[in-house]
Amino acid sequence: MKLLSADKITMKFGGLTAVKDFSLELNKGEIVALIGPNGAGKTTAFNMITGVYTPTEGKIFLNKEKISGLKPDAITKKGIARTFQNIRLFGELSVLDNVLIANHLHLKSMFLEGMFKLPRYRREEKEMIEKSLELLKRVDLYDLKDEKASSLPYGKQRRLEIARGLATNPEIMLLDEPAAGMNPKESDELTSFINEIRNEFGLTIFMIEHHMPLVMGISDRIYVLDHGVTIAHGTPYEIQNNSKVIEAYLGVKEDA
């Protein structure tokens, strides 16, 4: 079942074309990777999907509904969550509070109801706390719920950032270089964690990643960008043996 599609989306900044005619399909339950050399346009593609940029050309659809041109918060409400290469947690707040903030996205109470602690807000607040605590149990962070986010080890911070995304009830989770800065043990734990949340939460996952063992070990399909253009798309085996991909990464012809 196709959840998200991008139809030849292009992003231009003045005279510079960062991404050209990028097409994408994400099917329910898949883990799909987007790889390519630095400066290939991967983050720009993410930014178009999540509403940071509106494509100069082309359209993006989620469940057959056009979402290109919507603001990031509207796209999040429709079911797309995102993490960033540089972890963006509220470092001075607790682990629990970081997840609670994400839960506020779906609050139905009005501003004044919250200000005066009216019954509907109190009821929703209680439900949010219960939901957040349950989520922390499911991602193995419950015992750290009262710790400052900034005090967590790097791998746990990344797990918390993903948990915060899960709190928005996404169908699709976009992970921007989730293994960046991790040691081998943390990378292995992350690989297992991504598989676990895909299965437990019924997610579709789209990720940018440079750590090739993770990409090849976990992805169902892979897209490869180079200088803003898609040069390959296929299974991990097909990508590993693609001459254009080898040349883009190594800078030499395959038979050199």
Side-chain angles (χ1 to χ4, degrees):
M1 174 184 169
K2 181 167 67 176
L3 288 183
L4 184 137
S5 63
D7 182 19
K8 294 184 177 180
I9 55 175
T10 294
M11 192 69 228
K12 297 180 180 179
F13 300 99
L16 172 68
T17 300
V19 175
K20 180 176 175 61
D21 293 338
F22 179 60
S23 292
L24 166 75
E25 285 192 1
L26 296 180
N27 300 309
K28 185 174 177 60
E30 285 188 307
I31 297 178
V32 178
L34 179 62
I35 67 172
N38 289 330
K42 304 182 295 298
T43 297
T44 299
F46 259 39
N47 285 340
M48 286 190 281
I49 293 169
T50 56
V52 177
Y53 301 144
T54 298
T56 309
E57 300 170 16
K59 297 177 181 178
I60 303 168
F61 298 89
L62 176 64
N63 291 318
K64 299 182 180 180
E65 177 186 358
K66 179 175 172 287
I67 61 169
S68 42
L70 296 181
K71 293 181 178 179
D73 63 322
I75 289 176
T76 302
K77 285 181 180 179
K78 289 185 178 296
I80 298 179
R82 179 194 181 163
T83 67
F84 293 86
Q85 179 182 354
N86 300 314
I87 296 174
R88 298 186 182 182
L89 296 173
F90 297 97
E92 294 304 306
L93 297 183
S94 71
V95 167
L96 175 59
D97 285 339
N98 269 272
V99 176
L100 279 170
I101 286 170
N103 267 301
H104 277 82
L105 181 74
H106 296 291
L107 267 181
K108 295 182 176 62
S109 305
M110 305 301 288
F111 174 74
L112 288 177
E113 290 179 279
M115 178 180 290
F116 294 106
K117 302 287 185 181
L118 297 182
R120 183 166 72 158
Y121 177 82
R122 292 201 307 271
R123 183 174 63 252
E124 285 194 307
E125 184 179 43
K126 181 175 181 290
E127 290 172 354
M128 282 193 307
I129 292 172
E130 291 173 351
K131 178 183 174 184
S132 297
L133 290 172
E134 179 59 30
L135 177 58
L136 289 175
K137 289 178 183 177
R138 294 171 74 179
V139 299
D140 198 26
L141 289 173
Y142 181 82
D143 290 344
L144 300 170
K145 64 183 183 299
D146 297 320
E147 299 290 328
K148 278 188 179 181
S150 59
S151 72
L152 299 184
Y154 188 83
K156 297 289 187 184
Q157 288 189 31
R158 182 66 75 185
R159 184 176 290 237
L160 174 57
E161 188 184 34
I162 293 173
R164 191 174 60 184
L166 291 172
T168 67
N169 299 321
E171 287 188 274
I172 301 173
M173 177 77 79
L174 274 63
L175 305 176
D176 191 348
E177 296 196 36
M182 288 189 176
N183 60 43
K185 182 176 183 293
E186 289 171 332
S187 295
D188 289 344
E189 290 173 350
L190 177 69
T191 300
S192 297
F193 182 59
I194 291 172
N195 260 322
E196 288 167 8
I197 63 170
R198 184 261 298 264
N199 297 331
E200 184 172 351
F201 292 88
L203 289 176
T204 298
I205 293 173
F206 186 41
M207 66 177 179
I208 296 171
E209 187 51 70
H210 286 288
H211 186 64
M212 286 302 106
L214 189 156
V215 170
M216 296 301 170
I218 203 173
S219 303
D220 296 303
R221 294 184 293 115
I222 300 170
Y223 288 83
V224 188
L225 280 180
D226 187 28
H227 294 95
V229 177
T230 305
I231 61 170
H233 165 232
T235 65
Y237 177 81
E238 290 168 337
I239 295 302
Q240 282 177 312
N241 293 278
N242 186 292
S243 59
K244 290 183 179 179
V245 176
I246 293 169
E247 183 178 352
Y249 272 95
L250 301 180
V252 295
K253 298 290 185 181
E254 186 179 16
D255 58 357

